[in-house]
Amino acid sequence: MDLYGIDLNLLVAFDALMAERSVTRAGARIGRTQPAMSAALARLRGLLKDELFVRGPKGLQPTPLALDLAHPIAQALTGLQRALEFTQSFDPSTSTASFTLGLSDHPTFALLPALLEVLREQAPGITLRIRNFIARDDAIGMLDAGEVDLTIGVPPSATGRILSRPLFEEHFVCVVRKGHPTVHPPLKLQGFLELPHLLVSPENESYGVVDAALAKQGLKRRLALTLPQLYAAPALVAQTDLIATLMEGVVAASGYEERLCIMPAPLDLPRILFALSWHRRNDVHPAQRWFRDMLASVPCRAGLHPPSTAAS
């Protein structure tokens, strides 16, 4: 039988008739009039080519086929009802759901420990899967394909189907190794320009926010090294005479903070916003809403800067 040709309302009517053995009482049970129930029974008889219910001294009596169908139809309707009820509420404390979260490198280091702590407290049965992405617009492809439920990174290009929520922001600082032979805080712009620079570019570009800020003043710096691995930079700076301009949170989470001299940058640099992004199709699902709200609380616990209107 072609399931696409079956009206679910007919199965609800059948279940009510089986329970009540009366067209009138069955209609009252599911909020249908007596004529509507009679019409539903007629459609069921035509669909299944069986009388299904015949009149007897104690009301409608089910035929053998109706008796065969009663249990599986009741089970199917109960399962469907439970599934629909699940989408209307979500209890994280008892849930065994799985969520897949796409993370760029910095949120992985900065947020994941605090996130796991929150999950242990609020939702111990939940399974979390992490997917990595590098280029910001890779997040769009992952969300479109349903490979992840949410992503955290620098906001991707704006699209109507991808929604975002700011989570935290990062400030840039300059770092050199402690005991650097030519750097003595406070760092001046001229001294900054004379140093060999390390540029981190996960997207393999040779022009970053520092270069853009310098270009506004008609200035350039000397790049000695570019590399894509964000968290390799503090270790390299700690062992060389390079200078790097890095997000403050990267330095703090790298494990090399004690071996570095950390200074304010000698020029104005934008703050970097990190945002939570999700596909519009997941916007209203209760479990997804809970997951987003829970994630929004994690940066504060991790000691990160809250987003401000000045972030860019």
Side-chain angles (χ1 to χ4, degrees):
M1 180 177 292
D2 184 4
L3 291 177
Y4 290 105
I6 298 178
D7 182 349
L8 178 61
N9 290 316
L10 296 180
L11 302 184
V12 174
F14 174 88
D15 188 60
L17 286 165
M18 181 60 67
E20 298 293 344
R21 309 297 172 92
S22 160
V23 170
T24 301
R25 291 197 302 272
R29 182 186 181 101
I30 61 174
R32 299 271 193 87
T33 64
Q34 190 273 339
M37 286 299 297
S38 295
L41 178 56
R43 289 180 62 192
L44 278 166
R45 285 167 170 166
L47 182 69
L48 297 173
K49 298 178 173 56
D50 188 270
E51 284 293 299
L52 296 177
F53 297 94
V54 296
R55 296 192 180 279
K58 296 183 179 181
L60 295 177
Q61 299 299 311
T63 66
L65 178 60
L67 291 172
D68 289 342
L69 292 173
H71 182 64
I73 287 178
Q75 275 194 319
L77 291 173
T78 299
L80 182 58
Q81 182 67 32
R82 287 174 179 168
L84 293 174
E85 287 173 353
F86 171 78
T87 66
Q88 301 304 311
S89 62
F90 179 72
D91 182 359
S93 65
T94 59
S95 176
T96 57
S98 295
F99 294 97
T100 303
L101 179 61
L103 293 176
S104 59
D105 279 353
H106 181 44
T108 301
F109 281 84
L111 287 178
L112 199 51
L115 170 56
L116 293 175
E117 184 179 353
V118 173
L119 285 176
R120 179 179 57 80
E121 295 171 356
Q122 297 186 16
I126 280 178
T127 298
L128 181 64
R129 297 184 176 91
I130 301 297
R131 292 281 305 274
N132 176 253
F133 67 93
I134 297 174
R136 66 179 69 185
D137 286 343
D138 288 349
I140 295 177
M142 296 170 74
L143 291 167
D144 276 339
E147 297 171 351
V148 295
D149 297 297
L150 303 162
T151 64
I152 299 176
V154 177
S157 301
T159 71
R161 66 189 182 279
I162 304 300
L163 307 177
S164 291
R165 176 178 184 173
L167 281 187
F168 65 97
E169 68 181 34
E170 282 289 357
H171 305 242
F172 282 108
V173 294
C174 291
V175 292
V176 296
R177 67 178 175 88
K178 282 188 175 177
H180 193 287
T182 63
V183 176
H184 307 285
L187 184 62
K188 302 296 185 181
L189 181 57
Q190 186 58 41
F192 176 78
L193 294 175
E194 291 172 354
L195 291 166
H197 286 254
L198 181 157
L199 168 65
V200 176
S201 176
E203 299 177 4
N204 296 310
E205 297 174 346
S206 57
Y207 191 86
V209 293
V210 172
D211 303 288
L214 289 172
K216 292 178 181 178
Q217 303 181 47
L219 301 172
K220 290 183 65 174
R221 61 176 173 167
R222 181 171 72 85
L223 290 178
L225 175 67
T226 63
L227 78 160
Q229 294 90 359
L230 180 63
Y231 275 81
L236 285 169
V237 172
Q239 301 172 70
T240 67
D241 288 340
L242 295 172
I243 184 171
T245 305
L246 303 173
M247 290 181 289
E248 185 179 23
V250 171
V251 179
S254 69
Y256 282 85
E257 193 172 14
E258 295 301 318
R259 297 175 57 182
L260 297 170
C261 178
I262 305 168
M263 303 163 288
L267 69 167
D268 289 332
L269 296 174
R271 299 168 186 175
I272 302 299
L273 178 68
F274 286 82
L276 179 66
S277 299
W278 66 96
H279 200 283
R280 186 177 293 277
R281 65 172 172 264
N282 289 341
D283 192 41
V284 300
H285 193 283
Q288 296 285 334
R289 287 202 307 267
W290 171 83
F291 194 39
R292 292 197 300 271
D293 290 342
M294 182 273 297
L295 283 169
S297 72
V298 172
C300 181
R301 180 176 291 210
L304 298 168
H305 297 290
S308 68
T309 55
S312 61

